[in-house]
Amino acid sequence: MFRFALRNVVAHKARLAMTAVAVLLGVAFVAGTLVLSDTLGRAFKNTASRSFADVSVAVIDENVDRTGSREHGRPDPALTEDTLTRLRALPGVARARGVLEGFTGVVDRDGDLLGSGWTTIGTNFVPTGDGADPRFPMRAGRGPANGREIALDARSADRAGFRVGDTVRVALSGPMVETRLTGVFGTDDPRVSAGGSLVLFDTATAQRLLLAPGRYGEIDLTAAPGTSETALRDAAARVLPRADNLRVDSGRALAREQVDQIEAGTRQMTIALLAFAGIALFVATFIIANTFTMLVAQRTRELALLRAVGARRGQVTRIVLCEAAAVAVVASLLGLAAGIALAGTLRSLLERFGAHLPAGPLIVEARTIAVALLVGCGVTLLAAWLPARRASRIPPVAALNTVEQPAGHGGLRGRSVMGALVTAAGAALTGYGRSTAGDGGRVPVAVGVFLVLVGILLLTPLLSRPVIGASAPFLDRPFGVAGRLARRNAVRNPRRTAATASALTIGLCLIAGLTMLGASIRHAVEERAIAEVAADYRIQTVNGAPVDASVLDAVARVPGVTAMSPLIRDTVTLDGRNTAVIGVDPKGIERLLALGGTADAAAALRRGEILVTADTARQRGWRIGSVVPIGYPDGTRGRVTIGGFHGDLEQLTKVTVPAALVQAHSAHRDIRSIMVRTADGDDTRTTRTIERAIGDNPLIQVEDRTDIRQSISRSVDLLLNIMYGLLAMAVLIAVLGVINTLAMSVFERRREIGMLRAIGLDRSRVRTMVRLESLVISVFGAVLGVAVGTFLAWGILGPLRSKVPNLVLVVPWAGVGGFLALGVGVGIVAAVWPARTAARADVLAAIGTE
């Protein structure tokens, strides 16, 4: 039986080729995802382990994050020179160094920022007795020794063409600093590997520019031989000042913590990629099922003859499943190899586009091999099971037929009834979820849109006749006989048409739905941002770090500035609860932001009162005029009055206060952005004047109203483009499905095509007939996909309305036209090979009697 199945696979290898390719692509997606995530995870883990290689114990101020930014409203870091001296004097300490980091950028010769703002870091150079810092081995020159010198990582220096002795401009969140490059060093820092830059200052300069004079964010201790990490950790904890924010941990524990964070990040990436791989495999199941259904129909006499000579039903089922298994094993092994190659290619592409990844070999775990084989074989056998069951039910008497029979039409009534019920249930659940306020509608909507998609797929055979029938005016008259034959062929076997179109329907449904979701969210957020911003400019850092106060002073001196206000973030205790607040300058704030809410909101700020959103007031039981206790970051307490309400603005928090209220009780101003209004509006000349006033600092962006809108669009579009790229595999598999079905349909109808040729249908019209059949099926799948995608977007937008006000469905008609054009393109491309095969068929061989 197994040998018989293998012979059938070899005999029908051309007809099974596209099925194998569909399985191969799906498995390659899965295997490539696992290999890439394992490779990146292993490389970053090794880098993390090396970064803590000489750290036995670390004392960390948790009020200072790894980029040097302090928790807003907190006092100066607790780790001082005195703390470092006491820790260095502990028995068993071989070396102690104070460490700090901060937001620092390097400006290239063209005035642009090296790397992205999120990974541009500065830290301090801590030389040992020989003048070197073991963390940063110098490849050229030496480390910085004063405030006018820096060292730069080798990758950034090579990228910008800097050499030792060059003048390099360093950008901070405020002033620009001109320095001399004294050294170039190598580093395994993952932020540099990810395309960022790393600058070394001498310790005093780093403290002055990045944190606070005489303060550190972390102190690292290296144990002397014979001293355990545990003993040194306990000894360090005893000499530290009493502070809740100080954490003492071993280097091994910190390395393990970083490894856990890396694993969590790669796990999330892997899950996201595997979800799209699952979509591709789901599409592939339609192709596999369609292929084996057609093969069974074409081999009716052969399978019936097996039954006639004594084969049992179970044996026939196993023969078909063995054929599927043989295809699955070969395709899965090839898919595994393709996935490994794909992972290597993606890694090379990421590096070419600037994502400098840690070096290391491709990691192919045993788990990856097992998953690839299980997924490929499981999906193929699952898809082939129903065709195999149908094959076992072929009666022996069918062997008497003189021709092979196409797949039957039976069972459509039950399928259509089931599809209608499932679609109705899904639509009802989706409607209920949309009408439910808050997050409670998420589950009903998710289940509802899934049921609608399943129901539409079940109804596809029923829908194919009227929808494809509507194409008659576009096919019959322009193309004559070829057009009529194409239309009739497309609806002759509704099951086959449905299976062919469904693969494309799923891919375009997801793409269309994502496009409409993105367009709707982008429109709502853009309109909200533009409506609330009355200022001409918003000034902020490229990564959201605090803006230096010197920028505020520089902008205030720009001619033509009529109103400006910093937005200062802070945390206070309001009525017994920690509350994030934004401090604004009450003078002219109504000219910068459309506060909304009560009419005298700005006047209340000028009186020293605070504003809250109406929802916050309702939740906390406040009214206008309520007096509530407040606790400030420096520990002092007082009372404030609720002066009015403001809208739920993107630029503000739920509570807005006069800037003077928080500045009087906080040592540092955490300026998130600066809103500016000018006499001439946001024209190009005014923009350049402001940029020159802040020193043409590339770390600080000056955004006009158009830039604010575009910054929102860019983030949404980037996410959509990534999803389009991942869904492209599903669309590619759908195209293969159309090609495969048409090719097998041409083979199945070879006698019919031969008869048409014999009675006068020339080769060009045969090609036209096959092309139009492919076109009408593809457009049918595209239309169905766009329709279901629109419903999907409409349903999902319901639960999101509580998060994004004024959210309505936006249909980008240009995009819809593009999706339909994609369907046309799929139909044209998919028909190339089947049309040529049909046109070249030998007439006498095609009409010959078997």
Side-chain angles (χ1 to χ4, degrees):
M1 183 176 64
F2 183 69
R3 288 195 300 272
F4 182 80
L6 288 181
R7 288 195 188 103
N8 277 329
V9 170
V10 174
H12 301 108
K13 56 183 179 292
R15 283 180 270 179
L16 290 169
M18 289 299 174
T19 296
V21 171
V23 176
L24 184 154
L25 290 175
V27 171
F29 202 155
V30 173
T33 296
L34 294 176
V35 171
L36 183 63
S37 62
D38 289 341
T39 299
L40 296 181
R42 179 76 60 85
F44 280 118
K45 287 177 195 175
N46 292 339
T47 300
S49 299
R50 287 194 296 271
S51 65
F52 288 98
D54 65 337
V55 178
S56 303
V57 172
V59 181
I60 302 172
D61 187 339
E62 293 189 315
N63 281 350
V64 180
D65 65 24
R66 296 292 291 174
T67 64
S69 298
R70 274 167 286 177
E71 289 280 342
H72 51 276
R74 297 299 179 89
D76 283 335
L79 300 178
T80 63
E81 292 289 349
D82 179 61
T83 311
L84 178 60
T85 301
R86 280 187 278 127
L87 290 171
R88 185 179 285 131
L90 287 173
V93 173
R95 186 169 60 253
R97 62 169 175 260
V99 179
L100 65 145
E101 294 181 347
F103 179 39
T104 306
V106 178
V107 181
D108 64 17
R109 300 183 191 280
D110 297 325
D112 297 323
L113 181 68
L114 280 178
S116 68
W118 297 99
T119 53
T120 54
I121 300 298
T123 187
N124 59 319
F125 178 74
V126 186
T128 56
D130 59 358
D133 188 332
R135 298 174 298 165
F136 309 111
M138 290 293 164
R139 297 184 181 178
R142 59 171 176 80
N146 58 58
R148 309 303 298 179
E149 297 178 346
I150 64 163
L152 183 61
D153 71 273
R155 281 182 173 175
S156 299
D158 291 342
R159 208 181 335 160
F162 288 139
R163 299 291 180 267
V164 172
D166 287 350
T167 298
V168 178
R169 288 198 303 158
V170 176
L172 304 169
S173 60
M176 296 275 286
V177 180
E178 277 205 356
T179 62
R180 188 170 70 88
L181 185 64
T182 62
V184 175
F185 60 90
T187 179
D188 290 322
D189 192 300
R191 293 166 296 190
V192 175
S193 299
S197 63
L198 182 59
V199 177
L200 301 184
F201 300 98
D202 70 283
T203 296
T205 302
Q207 289 173 329
R208 176 172 54 84
L209 294 177
L210 306 179
L211 195 57
R215 308 283 176 159
Y216 298 100
E218 179 178 329
I219 296 177
D220 296 334
L221 306 178
T222 302
T227 303
S228 69
E229 287 186 352
T230 303
L232 186 57
R233 183 190 62 198
D234 294 341
R238 286 193 293 270
V239 301
L240 288 173
R242 294 183 177 275
D244 294 336
N245 56 295
L246 291 183
R247 171 188 172 193
V248 185
D249 226 330
S250 66
R252 193 173 304 163
L254 292 173
R256 187 167 54 248
E257 179 182 302
Q258 196 168 79
V259 166
D260 290 341
Q261 292 174 352
I262 292 169
E263 286 180 342
T266 54
R267 191 182 306 118
Q268 291 174 357
M269 179 190 73
T270 301
I271 291 171
L273 290 176
L274 287 178
F276 287 95
I279 293 170
L281 287 167
F282 183 57
V283 171
T285 58
F286 287 87
I287 299 171
I288 299 165
N290 204 21
T291 300
F292 279 96
T293 297
M294 295 179 71
L295 277 176
V296 167
Q298 293 168 12
R299 293 161 53 199
T300 298
R301 293 184 65 218
E302 172 192 317
L303 296 172
L305 188 59
L306 284 176
R307 292 292 315 281
V309 298
R312 296 185 300 274
R313 283 187 172 185
Q315 288 178 308
V316 174
T317 300
R318 287 193 291 275
I319 286 172
V320 178
L321 289 178
C322 283
E323 293 174 14
V327 173
V329 170
V330 173
S332 298
L333 290 173
L334 292 175
L336 174 62
I340 296 170
L342 177 65
T345 303
L346 286 175
R347 181 176 172 180
S348 300
L349 287 174
L350 288 171
E351 291 180 340
R352 179 170 296 181
F353 285 107
H356 301 288
L357 305 174
L362 288 176
I363 305 299
V364 184
E365 302 279 2
R367 174 207 61 184
T368 301
I369 299 173
V371 168
L373 292 174
L374 285 173
V375 166
C377 294
V379 167
T380 306
L381 291 174
L382 181 65
W385 183 76
L386 279 177
R389 293 278 295 171
R390 291 195 191 105
S392 70
R393 293 172 182 166
I394 295 174
V397 72
L400 300 177
N401 290 336
T402 58
V403 294
E404 293 168 342
Q405 298 297 319
H409 298 224
L412 285 183
R413 180 177 299 174
R415 173 173 173 164
S416 299
V417 171
M418 178 62 71
L421 292 175
V422 172
T423 303
L429 268 176
T430 304
Y432 169 75
R434 275 187 57 89
S435 63
T436 303
D439 297 338
R442 289 183 179 181
V443 173
V445 165
V447 175
V449 295
F450 175 75
L451 289 178
V452 167
L453 177 59
V454 172
I456 292 295
L457 293 178
L458 290 173
L459 285 172
T460 304
L462 181 67
L463 295 172
S464 64
R465 289 183 180 275
V467 175
I468 294 177
S471 65
F474 306 99
L475 297 180
D476 293 6
R477 180 168 296 180
F479 299 100
V481 173
R484 286 194 296 274
L485 287 172
R487 178 171 51 82
R488 290 170 183 172
N489 286 336
V491 295
R492 177 190 299 179
N493 191 330
R495 286 182 181 275
R496 181 191 303 160
T497 299
T500 306
S502 293
L504 190 59
T505 296
I506 294 169
L508 285 183
C509 163
L510 295 174
I511 292 176
L514 285 173
T515 300
M516 293 178 194
L517 277 173
S520 302
I521 293 172
R522 181 172 59 227
H523 177 267
V525 176
E526 282 180 357
E527 291 303 313
R528 178 184 177 189
I530 295 301
E532 73 181 46
V533 175
D536 297 315
Y537 295 99
R538 181 178 68 182
I539 302 172
Q540 59 185 13
T541 56
V542 296
N543 69 348
V547 179
D548 192 86
S550 62
V551 175
L552 190 64
D553 298 334
V555 174
R557 292 192 294 269
V558 172
V561 171
T562 58
M564 63 178 293
S565 172
L567 304 186
I568 304 175
R569 186 180 67 171
D570 215 324
T571 300
V572 299
T573 304
L574 202 59
D575 206 9
R577 292 166 59 177
N578 283 342
T579 305
V581 301
I582 288 289
V584 300
D585 187 346
K587 294 183 298 184
I589 187 62
E590 68 271 21
R591 300 182 60 197
L592 301 169
L593 294 175
L595 294 174
T598 50
D600 61 343
L605 288 172
R606 288 192 287 271
R607 293 194 299 268
E609 299 169 346
I610 70 173
L611 304 178
V612 300
T613 63
D615 287 343
T616 302
R618 185 168 53 253
Q619 291 166 7
R620 298 210 190 180
W622 296 336
R623 298 195 200 108
I624 295 177
S626 296
V627 177
V628 296
I630 185 171
Y632 296 103
D634 61 0
T636 61
R637 298 188 174 278
R639 300 180 76 80
V640 291
T641 301
I642 308 296
F645 300 150
H646 67 72
D648 191 5
L649 275 60
E650 188 76 21
Q651 309 297 323
L652 303 177
T653 58
K654 302 293 185 182
V655 179
T656 302
V657 303
L661 200 64
V662 291
Q663 288 175 339
H665 300 281
S666 181
H668 306 281
R669 286 190 289 179
D670 187 357
I671 302 174
R672 310 315 296 175
S673 60
I674 302 171
M675 311 303 294
V676 180
R677 185 80 174 263
T678 64
D680 297 327
D682 56 350
D683 63 353
T684 304
R685 185 169 55 186
T686 305
T687 303
R688 278 300 300 142
T689 302
I690 296 174
E691 288 173 345
R692 284 196 296 268
I694 61 177
D696 286 322
N697 189 336
L699 287 183
I700 301 175
Q701 54 190 5
V702 180
E703 297 179 308
D704 59 23
R705 294 171 64 83
T706 301
D707 293 330
I708 296 172
R709 182 188 293 271
Q710 289 177 347
S711 67
I712 296 168
S713 301
R714 277 194 298 269
S715 59
V716 176
D717 291 342
L718 176 62
L719 181 61
L720 287 177
N721 289 334
I722 292 172
M723 291 187 173
Y724 290 158
L726 295 173
L727 287 172
M729 183 70 77
V731 176
L732 175 60
I733 292 175
V735 174
L736 294 176
V738 178
I739 296 172
N740 192 41
T741 303
L742 282 173
M744 295 185 71
S745 176
V746 166
F747 178 82
E748 182 182 276
R749 304 197 318 255
R750 62 193 183 280
R751 297 186 77 247
E752 173 191 316
I753 292 172
M755 289 297 295
L756 290 172
R757 290 290 315 283
I759 62 176
L761 194 69
D762 58 23
R763 286 186 173 182
S764 65
R765 283 192 287 181
V766 169
R767 283 194 294 268
T768 301
M769 177 187 70
V770 176
R771 288 169 182 165
L772 290 176
E773 182 180 348
S774 171
L775 185 64
V776 75
I777 292 175
S778 297
V779 171
F780 168 60
V783 169
L784 213 55
V786 171
V788 178
T790 304
F791 180 82
L792 181 146
W794 176 82
I796 293 176
L797 287 175
L800 296 179
R801 286 179 298 179
S802 61
K803 305 292 183 184
V804 184
N806 304 319
L807 188 59
V808 295
L809 179 64
V810 174
V811 179
W813 294 108
V816 171
F819 300 140
L820 297 180
L822 178 61
V824 172
V826 168
I828 293 172
V829 171
V832 172
W833 176 45
R836 290 187 62 185
T837 303
R840 292 182 176 184
D842 185 275
V843 176
L844 294 178
I847 65 176
T849 304
E850 297 182 1

